[in-house]
Amino acid sequence: MVETIEIEEQIKHTNAYACLECGKCTSVCPISRYSRRYSPRILLNQALKNDYDDLFQDYDLWSCLTCGKCDEVCPSGIHYIDLTQILRSSALAEGFNGKCSHAGALQSLSRIMTGEQLRQNRLEWVADDMQTAAEGDILYFVGCAPYFDVLFSDLDISTLEAAESSIRLLNRLDITPVLMTDERCCGHDLLWNGDVENFKRLAEHNLKEIEKTGAKTILFSCAECLSGFKNLYTDYGFSVKAELKHMSQFLAEKLAAGELQLTADDTNVTFQDPCRLGRHLGIYDEPRQVLTNSTAQPAGSTNHFHDMKETGKRSLCCGVSAWMNCDLTSKTIQTERLRQAHDTGAEVLAVACPKCQIHLTCTMKDKAVSEKYGVRVRDIAAITLERMA
Amino acid sequence: MVQIEELLGRKRLSFAFEEGDRGTHPIGLVEPSPCTRACPAGVNVKAYVSLIATGRFHEALEVVRQRNPLPGICGRVCTHPCEAVCNLGEIDSPVAVCWLKRFVADYELAHPQAIPEPISRTRKEKVAIVGSGPAGLTAANDLVRLGFGVTVFEALPVAGGMLVAGIPAYRLPRDIVETEIAAIEHLGVEIKTNKPISGEKAIDQLFDGGYSAVFLAIGAHKGLKLGVPGEDEFKGIIDCITFLNEVNLSKGKKPGDKVIVIGGGSSAVDSARTALRLGSDEVYIVYRRSRKEMPAHEAEISAAEQEGVKLHYLAAPVNILGENGKVTGMECQKMKLGKPDSSGRRRPVPIEGSEFVVQADTIITAISQGPDLTNLPGDQGVELTRWNTFAAEEESMATSRPGVFAGGDAVTGPSTVIDAIAAGHVAARSIVRYLNGDPLVQAEIRGEPLESEIKVDQKQREHKKRTSMPMLKVSTRINSFDEVDLGFKETQAVAEAQRCLRCGPCSECFICVPECDKITAILTSPEKQGECIFRLPHELLPSISGDGPADAAVQAGAKKTIPFQVTPVIPWVREDLCRGCADCVDVCEHMAVTLISKEPALSSNEGEYISVANVNSDICRGCGTCVAVCSTGAMTPGYYSGDWLPGRLATLVPGKKNIVVFACHWNGSHPDDEAIQNIGGNGTHIEVIHTMCSGRISPGLVFQAFELGADGVLLTGCSPDNCHYGFGAKQAHNTYGTIEQLIHLVGIEPERIAFQHVSDSNTAAFLDVVSEFVQNVEKPKPRPAKSRKVLVQ
């Protein structure tokens, strides 16, 4: 039997008991749209009935993308994704887990990274001509891109391109960013996987390392790392003193200050709002400003930039979260997203998160998809570096 | 217990076995491959091709010998019906099965093995076999192995029948025939040459002389007449059997300068090529149908053409011309092809007024042959057919006279060596039943070849080309009787055998039988032929019991006998997880995995379709490499699920040096537990986890092992050119490259991971590499203070 009292106590904080059973959550849920058996409303109800034994064994407990569309529309202000997280940590503690992609390699690597005495070789990608430092005001948090590029070498993309481009952009703006040799996985994915204990260990380690650098600002290319630091670390009682920014925010600021000059480019581009950057952190305008080379309020469509059918708060997620339950439903969501990108006439689908880049590119391995909706998926910093005057 | 047959639609065997014994669980399934079914003699083709592919040549030859006592002979002259049904033939060209058989026979000549002991006589009955051709030799071989006394009577001065009297030495060297016959003699068969059975009471005399049964396998050595005017009038007309006999048994001389051979079968082509070798200037083959209908094998026809034989198709003799008692030529008539006749070939129809003359000084007739009954005149009590062949029951080879059996060309008219061998098997079986007093029940009924389910897009797929046979230069061969086909080199044989798709999941080679010494669950009875067995690793157990690897009984090594049904090693696809990325399709060089197009159940957009992976279970061999590359886990392994790993690693001992060894089960990785644990001594725990192939290993498995407490992870597998599956070890190398990069990135010391080759089922070598690795891993690595709970996905 599962310890129900403790879970109930946690669930209270998600407002779940205020559920009106209106079903708005299910009506906007991308998983529900393509998987008939999945319904956040029913899952929540099961949780309220203390039906944990069944729930923990349910594949669909691990299907939620935690993209936050449900939370946006809930009239009762329920934090459904937090409920998901609570249920998952309880389930994981009981020995259940989702279907881990890549035979669990990414979860294992993240957990291995909690090892205190580990000596990673994670900065070998830094080229000789890049200016970086061990201490300084601005720190660039690389994230797991070096690992991704090895594991996903078959995808013909480089998620490290975002990091390389960011360093070069910063250097061109006369900034020598700090890179940490002993940076660890931010823990975002482990937390959404339900592994609170190892998430905390990673958070603690990262914050300790950052402290040593004296950084006042931390820049991220990965929207998940940013949301990890900004939301999750705080939620779990860690205090993050530095200012936290996504590269797109930083670039938008530089654009507004006139420090960043970009040349015109007639490549047709559209933008994938990462759920972490958009709905989790409310950052929608800055990436568009950078992509349209404009400091004005984004209009949704300019000469060479066109937003997709579902955009901003309504944006469709990249289909997989925390390297779990990657399946046909994920692929169908991704295919739909690629179709929407294709419909804008875009040649390049700009992303602000390596997960979006990996997942959407992976879907195109199916020739049936790539022949119809093929598009180049690139990080916003890489695009910006090329446009830099 | 779940009926897996119903669940998965495949036939399976059930066994009782003892839980707790490691590495000795068998798997069975029933379904011979098309080639095996096509072989008239029932040779397990797939098994020996598979063994050749892994360099196990002697074992391959043993598999051939189980059903064919003349491998070196058949490896040269067999018409190989197995190749005609080979699924690979639909993609490019079939596996060169026949030449592979020749290779292993030649290999044994070059690398002699201990000669088997003569079979001791356990039955008092003696059997007389008349004729020492392939039918007689096969029956003799079968009977002597069952303990009977066997005497073979041969009218000619040498044994072998048509093998030596008919087939020329450039196709079948005499030493090969002699060696294989000597091996049969060595077992205890007595062969009496120059001993024709003759006279009106010939068969009676055999029974009177103490023989309890007789097998008439006298072949078809009498050439049939053309039936055209002039045939008996002139000198210079000879039938092919007389001609070939003269050449083959004594020293032949040039038949003439300008020779016409009439006929389209092997004997015709053999006669023509022999005449050329004896110095004839011009040799023509005249055949009344077109080339397509010629019964001789295409390779022989084209070899004859290369050597200079000219072919006249669609022409039939109508008159033999001569002067002064000698042949001067032949008048022919042109033919066209009409409707198919009873043989299925199109009937030749004469074209009026199309007669023409071909000049020649010699005419060799090779239209057909029948048994030569000169020595067996009168009523021997054995009924004949209207073609003067022995009338024998097809299923039992029994003639009208009790105790007398007949088979081979003497029953069928001129046919193939492999058909004669098949007849020899049937006759031997019937003779045993007759002598046991059993009814002469039907001989083994062979099923129809499996219908091919392979659908491979040739454009997308590249496949290795068939290895061509090295041949003697034309200029050399037309002046001698040296063997034309030179045979494969070892590397060529292995490469050719590796082209095999191994249709059907198990090769049924039975070499697992001696390995399975703890549990006698492997079925070897001849009646159970076709039921095949696989040694499976311990990991199979939990999938059957459904209790997971952490099942207390297993952990404790408890022994209890439970009924046991085995899942196949074939993976299946969870379509709800498949993303159609084709990684599995790309990695499977057996081409067992394809993508199929499906209407999606989920999409909201009309006209969209999705790709889903599909495993062809007739081709798949269960190596699990596709499982390793599947990113979502849709490809569900048939025998080693990564989900079991946490359970296996729950046995790691805190405080000890824990070494996890992933071992390909083909390479001698089954030493007993004690030998393994002795390697490291008390301070070390070594956990060996078997997979079917090192290709099954994924980075995820290795990192899970590290995460769950391994101090070192050793992968062992065959070298890529020695992989049982042909490509699994190659993929394992790619995977290991990825693992090495990740290990470097995350900062685990390089000594803690290694990939070592162990080949040829060498247990000592396996223990050596484990030992070396254990020494290299110095001390426990730093790892998370608290290990996580065992998870069940």
Side-chain angles (χ1 to χ4, degrees), chain B residues 60 194 281 599 653:
Chain B
N194 282 322
D281 296 333
E599 285 271 339
V653 187

Side-chain angles (χ1 to χ4, degrees), chain A residues 33-37 59 92-105 107-109 111-115 117-122 124 146-147 150-151 154 195 197-198 201 320 326-332 334-336 339 359 362-363 365-366 368 372-373, chain B residues 460 574-583 595 600-612 630-634 643 698-701 703-707 737-739 741-748 781-793:
Chain A
R33 193 192 295 184
Y34 298 114
S35 167
R36 280 180 207 116
R37 61 172 191 223
Y59 171 85
L92 195 79
E94 292 296 316
F96 300 97
N97 201 350
K99 185 85 188 164
C100 294
S101 320
H102 309 284
Q107 282 88 350
S108 289
L109 281 165
R111 272 189 274 264
I112 287 171
M113 275 191 243
T114 61
Q117 297 167 50
L118 216 55
R119 295 283 172 268
Q120 296 176 84
N121 298 294
R122 54 151 54 230
E124 288 177 357
Y147 292 91
V150 175
L151 268 168
D154 58 322
D195 188 350
E197 181 190 328
N198 284 308
R201 203 173 280 144
V320 184
C326 175
D327 57 17
L328 185 54
T329 310
S330 318
K331 185 187 169 188
T332 315
Q334 290 151 355
T335 308
E336 169 61 18
R339 191 182 68 85
H359 296 146
C362 177
T363 304
K365 281 173 93 170
D366 182 351
K372 230 168 163 179
Y373 309 129
Chain B
Q460 283 183 4
R574 269 187 63 177
E575 291 192 1
D576 61 328
L577 289 179
C578 178
R579 294 172 52 92
C581 69
D583 283 355
L595 284 187
L602 305 173
S603 174
S604 55
N605 301 310
E606 271 191 34
E608 255 172 24
Y609 65 94
I610 51 162
S611 307
V612 175
C630 178
S631 55
T632 65
D643 295 351
S698 62
L701 287 179
F703 285 103
Q704 270 197 67
F706 276 118
E707 182 208 334
T738 304
I739 293 168
Q741 288 182 58
L742 292 168
I743 288 279
H744 174 72
L745 267 172
V746 82
I748 295 175
K781 77 176 183 70
R783 60 167 178 270
K786 232 171 114 184
S787 61
R788 81 183 154 107
K789 236 179 150 164
V790 171
L791 302 179
V792 182
Q793 288 200 19

Side-chain angles (χ1 to χ4, degrees), chain B residues 79-94:
Chain B
T79 49
H80 43 75
C82 50
E83 292 186 23
V85 298
C86 176
N87 275 324
L88 199 50
E90 291 182 15
I91 303 163
D92 45 38
S93 40

Side-chain angles (χ1 to χ4, degrees), chain A residues 110 113-114 116 141 180 184-188 190-191 195-211 228-229 232-234 236-240:
Chain A
S110 291
M113 275 191 243
T114 61
E116 282 301 318
F141 193 86
M180 294 194 293
R184 302 289 169 96
C185 164
C186 70
H188 169 280
L190 283 186
L191 183 77
D195 188 350
V196 181
E197 181 190 328
N198 284 308
F199 158 77
K200 283 182 177 170
R201 203 173 280 144
L202 290 168
E204 208 170 329
H205 187 98
N206 277 326
L207 292 174
K208 206 166 69 193
E209 286 297 311
I210 290 167
E211 185 93 32
F229 273 74
L232 307 179
Y233 283 14
T234 325
Y236 282 83
F238 298 100
S239 83
V240 188

